[in-house]
Amino acid sequence: MNRASSSRLSELPQRVESNRMSMVYATPQSKQSFGKLNIPKPQSVTSERRTSFFGSRGAGMARNSAFGAFGGAEKMKDPRPLHDKAYVQQCIRQLCEFLSEKGFPGSMSVKSLQSPSTKEFLKIFEFIYCLLDTTFQMPTSKVEEEVPRILKDLGYPFVLSKSSMYSVGAPHTWPQVLGAVVWLIDTVKIFCCMSDQDLLFADFSDGSTEIEDGVAFNKLFLDYTAETYNKFMQGADTFDEEDADYLAKLKRLYNVDEGLLASMEEKYRMLSDEVERLEKESQTDRLMVKRTEKVKLQTDLQKLQSYRSNLESFKANLENKASGLAEELEASGLQVETLKQEESRLQHILSTQKFTPADIERINWEKRELQQTINSLSKSLEQAEQHMWNEEIALAKAKETAEVKLAEYHKLARKLKLIPVSAENACGHDFEIRTSTEYGPSTMVQCRTQIQQLLRKLITDVDEECSRLTDMKLSLEESIEQVNSNISDKANDLKQLREQIRRLDEQLEQDMQDIAHEEQKWSAEMESVETHRKLLEKKVTLGYDESVEQLKAAQQQYHLVLQETNEERRTVVNNLASVLTTAANHLSIVEKFLEDQHKRVDRVYTEAFREDEVDIQKMKDIMESFITKVNSM
């Protein structure tokens, strides 16, 4: 029954904070869902869980579920802040760290994950899903339908549309796709934790009764879960009565002998007390102490080795980041050196030229005007370049999406024998879609009409923006006047502060004189403290001699106690030998029992495999007959 006390392995936050850990997270049902990962038949598992896990919600429930009723038709709203840039960046870093940790075959960085292409997303999805099913291969066709179907079969609680698969890296679709990938990473982590966890369950049955595939246990577990969930939806947070009833039913199901459990617990307590007593009596044995230290040191060595491997991987990541920063630093250094040369050249020109003060003032005024003009033009240029870059990216992605859709259409049309015109199923019609340059003038007129409408709307928006900027300019002028008045006030405050500084300087000189007098007093006190320290040293020397004599007496007493302890140790060794013999006999019995269980599991697996082969053969016959009928039609 150790499954009931298993720790919660999911990294997602709990819906209800409680000091009680539910037994739901460590049952055989949970282990079956992640340990086997029945990929060929995922729909049956999902449908069973959605239709029979919690049942329908009653009308009198006092608590509203954040995830809706299982099996219902309502769409759940994603509570994660996927439109928050900080949260999206955190998810991207988490994805990048997971890929580097699991050894993703390819170069992947945070920058490349800001707007990945569909091809890159499919590679990432296939790599992560292969951690759950090593035999999985991404299909070459209808990928936009396959990826949402796989996520739905795994139990992803939110809807991922097919259209989002055509433009994965778009700003309006990438956060939703990224959220699905992060959920898949959490699923992989839970699967890895539960597959690595080895749980030992005692079998109290006599071997005559067998529960095939855990059907009886699954029914009992689902009834318990449904009952506790209904209580939870009604406002309850503790389920002590349901837990006690569930444990009693499990004991009846597995034929648990309470008397045997009580006797084994009493025997374990007696053996624990005996071992604790023997450990206390053998604390002076140096050989046992050294062996214990050896085991501890070996454990520490293994931990240090694992920590060293983690540090090496972390060092490699830091070196990659350092190389990137070094390149940026080198580029910045070259730019600074260029600016210094330009500054020296302009300084030389300024020192050699001869102008009147009026000319210099006029040049400075023109320089400021030109600098302001250059700054405004630079900002406009940067905005235009950024806008152009965004438009080019959007155009490239749109072209890529259109070409992919067109290629899929042509491929499907050729497969159906609709292209070219002379094809078998074309019937003299042209089903081929050509590029936009081959369309007639009517299509261009339609496109021009649409563009004119968009331009009119854009002109209206620009006029509104100009009026808004004009209002902003007037408000800024008013704020400038207010700032000028504040500057004059601050100048007056500055004069007052200077006067206060002068007064504080005079006070500081007076304080320095007082400190000099105090230092003289402290030197006299230090001399008296030094005399007192010498007296204490004499007293400590006398006390040390007395402690040495006491130490010699304690050593003599230690040798006497050591002889008595050796005699007691011989008795303890004889007792331990009998205990080890009993443990070896018990271990042989347990090994024999495990071999019998292994043979029984192999027999059940062979029968199930044969039944699956018969079902597959029937499906093949049905498929062949269906194909024959279709061809005959």
Side-chain angles (χ1 to χ4, degrees), residues 217-265:
F217 174 81
N218 290 339
K219 182 178 182 302
L220 182 61
F221 169 71
L222 292 177
D223 293 338
Y224 162 77
T225 308
E227 184 178 0
T228 53
Y229 185 78
N230 289 330
K231 292 291 184 65
F232 171 75
M233 295 300 295
Q234 292 175 2
D237 289 329
T238 58
F239 315 97
D240 296 334
E241 296 179 359
E242 288 77 9
D243 292 346
D245 189 16
Y246 178 65
L247 289 175
K249 291 180 181 178
L250 285 177
K251 290 178 180 178
R252 288 196 298 271
L253 178 64
Y254 291 101
N255 297 327
V256 177
D257 189 359
E258 295 290 341
L260 179 60
L261 281 177
S263 62
M264 294 296 291
E265 288 177 356

Side-chain angles (χ1 to χ4, degrees), residues 74-324:
E74 60 175 333
K75 294 184 179 179
M76 290 175 289
K77 185 178 180 181
D78 198 339
R80 297 172 295 181
L82 295 177
H83 296 287
D84 188 4
K85 293 183 179 179
Y87 181 77
V88 172
Q89 295 300 322
Q90 180 182 356
C91 293
I92 291 174
R93 287 194 296 271
Q94 182 181 354
L95 174 58
C96 186
E97 291 174 359
F98 179 80
L99 294 176
S100 61
E101 179 182 354
K102 296 297 181 181
F104 179 72
S107 60
M108 192 61 61
S109 61
V110 177
K111 185 177 180 181
S112 61
L113 291 176
Q114 298 293 331
S115 179
S117 62
T118 305
K119 186 176 181 181
E120 292 176 348
F121 167 73
L122 294 178
K123 289 182 179 179
I124 295 172
F125 182 84
E126 182 179 5
F127 173 76
I128 297 174
Y129 193 76
C130 284
L131 297 176
L132 296 175
D133 183 11
T134 56
T135 61
F136 173 75
Q137 290 183 355
M138 183 64 70
T140 56
S141 62
K142 295 184 178 180
V143 179
E144 66 279 0
E145 298 179 0
E146 188 68 18
V147 172
R149 185 190 66 78
I150 291 173
L151 291 172
K152 184 179 179 181
D153 293 341
L154 287 176
Y156 185 60
F158 310 112
V159 178
L160 191 64
S161 61
K162 298 179 183 178
S163 60
S164 61
M165 295 292 102
Y166 293 108
S167 57
V168 175
H172 62 282
T173 58
W174 174 235
Q176 282 75 17
V177 178
L178 180 62
V181 173
V182 171
W183 179 88
L184 183 60
I185 290 174
D186 294 335
T187 304
V188 171
K189 290 180 180 179
I190 296 173
F191 168 68
C192 293
C193 291
M194 299 191 72
S195 61
D196 294 340
Q197 184 181 19
D198 296 327
L199 299 177
L200 180 61
F201 296 94
D203 190 0
F204 297 95
S205 62
D206 55 357
S208 61
T209 60
E210 294 182 359
I211 303 175
E212 281 199 29
D213 297 333
V215 176
F217 174 81
N218 290 339
K219 182 178 182 302
L220 182 61
F221 169 71
L222 292 177
D223 293 338
Y224 162 77
T225 308
E227 184 178 0
T228 53
Y229 185 78
N230 289 330
K231 292 291 184 65
F232 171 75
M233 295 300 295
Q234 292 175 2
D237 289 329
T238 58
F239 315 97
D240 296 334
E241 296 179 359
E242 288 77 9
D243 292 346
D245 189 16
Y246 178 65
L247 289 175
K249 291 180 181 178
L250 285 177
K251 290 178 180 178
R252 288 196 298 271
L253 178 64
Y254 291 101
N255 297 327
V256 177
D257 189 359
E258 295 290 341
L260 179 60
L261 281 177
S263 62
M264 294 296 291
E265 288 177 356
E266 182 65 19
K267 186 176 180 182
Y268 173 77
R269 185 183 62 79
M270 293 173 63
L271 290 175
S272 300
D273 295 338
E274 184 67 17
V275 170
E276 184 178 359
R277 184 181 63 81
L278 293 175
E279 286 178 353
K280 290 181 179 179
E281 291 177 356
S282 62
Q283 286 180 356
T284 57
D285 190 358
R286 294 186 178 180
L287 181 60
M288 295 298 295
V289 173
K290 294 299 181 182
R291 288 178 180 175
T292 305
E293 291 179 356
K294 180 182 178 181
V295 173
K296 290 182 180 179
L297 291 175
Q298 289 177 352
T299 305
D300 294 339
L301 179 60
Q302 293 177 357
K303 292 181 180 179
L304 287 174
Q305 289 176 353
S306 61
Y307 181 69
R308 179 185 177 185
S309 61
N310 294 332
L311 284 178
E312 287 177 355
S313 60
F314 183 70
K315 179 182 178 182
N317 293 331
L318 288 179
E319 287 177 355
N320 294 332
K321 293 180 180 179
S323 61

Side-chain angles (χ1 to χ4, degrees), residues 472-486:
M472 187 183 294
K473 179 181 177 183
L474 295 174
S475 63
L476 289 174
E477 289 177 354
E478 294 177 356
S479 62
I480 289 171
E481 292 178 358
Q482 185 177 2
V483 167
N484 291 330
S485 63
N486 292 334

Side-chain angles (χ1 to χ4, degrees), residues 375-440:
N375 292 335
S376 62
L377 292 175
S378 298
K379 291 180 180 178
S380 301
L381 179 60
E382 290 177 357
Q383 294 176 358
E385 289 178 350
Q386 183 65 28
H387 181 69
M388 181 182 68
W389 174 252
N390 295 332
E391 292 296 331
E392 288 178 354
I393 292 174
L395 179 61
K397 290 181 179 179
K399 287 183 178 179
E400 182 181 359
T401 305
E403 291 175 357
V404 171
K405 292 181 179 178
L406 188 60
E408 291 178 355
Y409 171 75
H410 287 167
K411 184 177 179 180
L412 183 60
R414 290 188 180 93
K415 189 175 181 180
L416 298 175
K417 297 181 181 180
L418 296 176
I419 294 176
V421 179
S422 61
E424 181 179 352
N425 298 328
C427 299
H429 298 287
D430 189 6
F431 290 96
E432 185 176 2
I433 299 177
R434 297 177 178 83
T435 57
S436 60
T437 56
E438 299 179 4
Y439 284 112

